[in-house]
Amino acid sequence: MTTGHAGSTPDPSADVTRAEYCVIACAEIFSGAGETMASPMATTPLIGARLARLTTEPDLLITDGEALIFADTPAVGKSGPIEGWMPFRKVFDVVASGRRHVVMGANQIDRYGNQNLSAFGPLQHPTRQMFGSRGAPGNTINHPTSYWVAKHSARVFGGVVDVVSGVGYDKIDADNPAFKYLNIPRVVTNLGVFDFEGPDHTMRAVSLHPGVDAAEVAENTGFEVAGLADAGVTRAPNAEELRLIREVIDPKGLREKEVKPVSTSRTAR
Amino acid sequence: MATDKTSSLDDIIGEISSGMTIGIGGWGSRRKPMALVRALARSSVTDLTIVTYGGPDLGLLCAAGKVSKAYYGFVSLDSPPFYDPWFAKARTTGAITVREMDEGMVKCGLEAAAARLPFLPIRAGLGSDVPNFWDGELRTVTSPYPDDDGRHQTLIAMPALQLDAAFVHLDLADRHGNAAYTGIDPYFDDLYCAAATRRYLETDRLVTTEELVEKVPVQRLLLNRLNVDRVVHTPNGAHFTFAGEYGRDEAFQQFYAESAKTPEAWQAFSDRFLTVPEDVYQTEVDKWNAEREDAQ
């Protein structure tokens, strides 16, 4: 890693917050994405997508969340020069084309990657109503879909989701090639980075953020997480990434509101 | 000279009968035909099936007990508290039957109806709980053409979302049904009109045809005369959602959501803002905003 500010910041990772590790993990969701539309649906993955665009993935398309495609990479909540038009009806064309990687939130995710943001309880008589299925069925069946969970808990990562909005790996009909694009590359949470490369496409720990141990993840997950004992540590941002996060993309520190500050020292627990 | 289609809200609601399927344009809390929705909520019609990218339109109709069935991709107020309280109440009490679907399936179903096709194939919905929301009404279709590997794709056969009536709000229109949006997004209002038997357009500004085509680039002329049966002039008609020339009334939308929390608060809201004619509604909203500013 090159560190343009090495002189002024001898140890750039010393005071890195949990939220900043989450941003790095979200940026890496887009590693190798190339010329594709990055559609982050919350603050932390939005910062991550813009960080990726300003570092290793300059060809990503990003929008203002309404209908405009940004030419530049503005700070969170800011506008800037545009390069194109992306009204909702055209978003559905992009979804069907597969040239998109969305990062959605989730009220529930199960061990096979089934996700719920619709409602809790029976389909026609729910106990709690949320958004309905939104674009989750179309996203998951068409193009890479990752998830961001700001508060990793056994309520979110429980047993079986009440409503399957986002399709998981155990729903794939192997005889039907219409399922061939289902791909859930990552789940990033305040505790770590996960994928679905465990046995039978179950959720697997890729890395835990500094200060998080396997026991904390296990306590907060309602099913067994594959590879938990062997998971590495989420990498630290380099000085340039920290500068971009803190000074360019999120100078107001909105990331710290989404992910509560915690000690990043491994000895703290 | 082409037909003058200008009408009153009452003229339009007079053509709506109980049991109809009505598509409502806009998206979430964006450019919803709220004046028409309010008029429908005040009317005596019941047992409606609503097709929508849902927002407070669906909420208000649920509050008025008008909805028996809803087809939607989502329901959102687009800003806190996000979940519409009246839609939530209708759902958690089991008052409505829903045909929830992926957002892309709504567009697909309207396009099928617009082209007078019984269905269109779509990938979205496969593997999810969407088919389970449809209680057997949603089927699959297998391609007659194999993929390169010799296998055949089986896809969702999205049925045509045929509408008895469509309600849409456009920013400006002429008397004949030519109309344009001035905001950033057309949403799907042309598809709702194309999918419907009767097409009702409300507009903030009623202008001459010459003024209409002078005001906007031709690409903004979303509707032509073939798409519209009646035009109603409703200044600020999309309130409290946003339209091309005004923003969302966030404070009033929050007040709407707050008012849903108790029967007393809702009665007060309803007495002041819902059981009244549209012009009184607009006057009361102005007063409400002035009172709020005075209080601050």
Side-chain angles (χ1 to χ4, degrees):
Chain A
M1 294 290 173
T2 54
T3 50
H5 294 248
S8 56
T9 13
D11 181 5
S13 67
D15 61 346
V16 175
T17 66
R18 179 67 60 80
E20 287 162 347
Y21 281 99
C22 292
V23 168
I24 288 297
C26 284
E28 291 195 340
I29 287 174
F30 299 101
S31 294
E35 199 153 47
T36 199
M37 190 159 107
S39 296
M41 301 294 184
T43 303
T44 302
L46 186 147
I47 298 166
R50 292 187 187 186
L51 179 63
R53 191 171 193 251
L54 288 172
T55 54
T56 63
E57 298 297 324
D59 289 334
L60 286 177
L61 263 75
I62 60 168
T63 72
D64 65 348
E66 289 266 335
L68 300 174
I69 309 172
F70 282 136
D72 292 346
T73 308
V76 180
K78 297 284 186 201
S79 194
I82 64 165
E83 64 171 341
W85 188 45
M86 187 62 68
F88 288 124
R89 64 174 59 191
K90 282 180 176 278
V91 173
F92 297 137
D93 295 341
V94 176
V95 169
S97 82
R99 295 179 179 279
R100 185 169 183 250
H101 190 149
V102 68
V103 184
M104 288 190 288
N107 296 89
Q108 296 174 314
I109 295 177
D110 74 14
R111 67 181 315 190
Y112 296 102
N114 294 290
Q115 169 255 26
N116 177 20
L117 47 57
S118 171
F120 292 137
L123 299 184
Q124 296 294 351
H125 200 145
T127 54
R128 179 155 189 258
Q129 179 64 44
M130 283 93 76
F131 284 122
S133 292
R134 295 221 81 150
N139 291 342
T140 46
I141 206 73
N142 276 299
H143 57 61
T145 299
S146 293
Y147 294 105
W148 159 245
V149 177
K151 194 171 187 309
H152 188 132
S153 74
R155 276 175 61 108
V156 177
F157 297 95
V160 179
V161 302
D162 291 29
V163 180
V164 177
S165 316
V167 181
Y169 283 101
D170 63 336
K171 299 297 187 293
I172 293 176
D173 175 356
D175 296 328
N176 182 0
F179 282 86
K180 64 188 163 190
Y181 304 118
L182 192 139
N183 179 13
I184 313 171
R186 282 280 188 277
V187 176
V188 176
T189 79
N190 61 319
L191 299 185
V193 181
F194 307 86
D195 63 18
F196 291 93
E197 297 306 314
D200 300 322
H201 277 299
T202 50
M203 196 166 101
R204 179 183 74 166
V206 175
S207 70
L208 308 186
H209 304 322
V212 178
D213 60 23
E216 185 176 1
V217 174
E219 278 164 30
N220 288 289
T221 310
F223 48 80
E224 191 186 334
V225 180
L228 192 52
D230 306 322
V233 180
T234 306
R235 79 162 173 90
N238 63 41
E240 174 63 2
E241 289 168 330
L242 275 182
R243 185 188 71 80
L244 289 168
I245 295 168
R246 293 172 179 178
E247 296 173 23
V248 177
I249 308 171
D250 184 27
K252 290 183 177 166
L254 295 175
R255 62 194 180 281
E256 307 296 339
K257 292 192 169 67
E258 199 163 81
V259 180
K260 268 192 263 175
V262 285
S263 168
T264 55
S265 163
R266 262 190 161 321
T267 55
R269 283 180 58 84
Chain B
M1 197 63 195
T3 302
D4 184 339
K5 297 173 183 170
T6 52
S7 306
S8 68
L9 288 169
D10 288 343
D11 290 337
I12 292 171
I13 300 304
E15 295 184 1
I16 304 297
S17 45
S18 295
M20 276 189 171
T21 297
I22 299 180
I24 302 178
W27 169 283
S29 188
R30 303 163 197 230
R31 215 181 68 220
K32 282 284 173 179
M34 296 299 281
L36 280 165
V37 166
R38 286 185 283 268
L40 192 56
R42 287 195 299 274
S43 76
S44 60
V45 301
T46 57
D47 190 31
L48 296 173
T49 294
I50 301 296
V51 178
T52 185
Y53 288 104
D57 54 328
L58 185 55
L60 279 177
L61 292 174
C62 286
K66 302 298 186 194
V67 185
S68 60
K69 198 172 184 184
Y71 289 70
Y72 58 85
F74 65 84
V75 181
S76 173
L77 296 178
D78 291 332
S79 55
F82 294 105
Y83 307 140
D84 182 275
W86 280 110
F87 171 69
K89 198 168 289 187
R91 289 276 284 136
T92 55
T93 57
I96 60 173
T97 299
V98 303
R99 297 290 178 253
E100 183 170 307
M101 69 192 103
D102 173 79
E103 291 173 18
M105 292 171 70
V106 179
K107 172 174 177 270
C108 186
L110 294 173
E111 286 172 336
R116 299 182 296 174
L117 293 169
F119 73 91
L120 281 171
I122 186 168
R123 214 177 280 117
L126 286 174
S128 74
D129 262 330
V130 166
N132 299 325
F133 274 105
W134 284 60
D135 294 329
E137 280 182 29
L138 189 66
R139 307 291 178 85
T140 57
V141 61
T142 299
S143 171
Y145 309 109
D147 283 5
D148 290 343
D149 63 5
R151 296 187 302 159
H152 294 251
Q153 293 194 34
T154 295
L155 298 154
I156 297 286
M158 180 63 208
L161 292 171
Q162 289 170 332
L163 310 174
D164 295 313
F167 288 0
V168 299
H169 179 107
L170 273 289
D171 306 311
L172 63 165
D174 69 12
R175 305 180 158 269
H176 315 295
N178 299 299
Y181 68 101
T182 62
I184 204 67
D185 197 319
Y187 309 116
F188 302 86
D189 291 354
D190 49 340
L191 286 179
Y192 281 98
C193 289
T197 306
R198 295 287 290 173
R199 295 78 45 89
Y200 302 112
L201 164 68
E202 60 167 66
T203 187
D204 291 310
R205 283 200 289 152
L206 193 63
V207 295
T208 63
T209 307
E210 294 71 21
E211 195 180 348
L212 173 68
V213 299
E214 198 176 279
K215 278 268 192 280
V216 296
V218 289
Q219 292 86 349
R220 286 185 177 278
L221 294 167
L222 195 64
L223 300 180
N224 60 56
R225 290 190 286 112
L226 301 178
N227 304 128
V228 176
D229 293 296
R230 287 187 181 273
V231 180
V232 57
H233 184 209
T234 56
N236 204 39
H239 182 271
F240 44 91
T241 72
F242 68 67
E245 285 153 5
Y246 45 91
R248 182 180 301 137
D249 190 340
E250 296 285 2
F252 191 86
Q253 177 165 287
Q254 282 171 27
F255 179 60
Y256 154 75
E258 273 298 309
S259 298
K261 286 184 177 168
T262 66
E264 297 74 26
W266 187 251
Q267 190 63 52
F269 184 91
S270 183
D271 289 347
R272 185 171 180 188
F273 298 109
L274 295 181
T275 56
V276 297
E278 179 66 16
D279 59 333
V280 176
Y281 171 82
Q282 295 291 349
T283 307
E284 289 301 316
V285 166
D286 286 345
K287 281 191 203 161
W288 184 86
N289 273 308
E291 288 161 15
R292 198 177 137 267
E293 275 164 33
D294 286 349
Q296 280 177 350

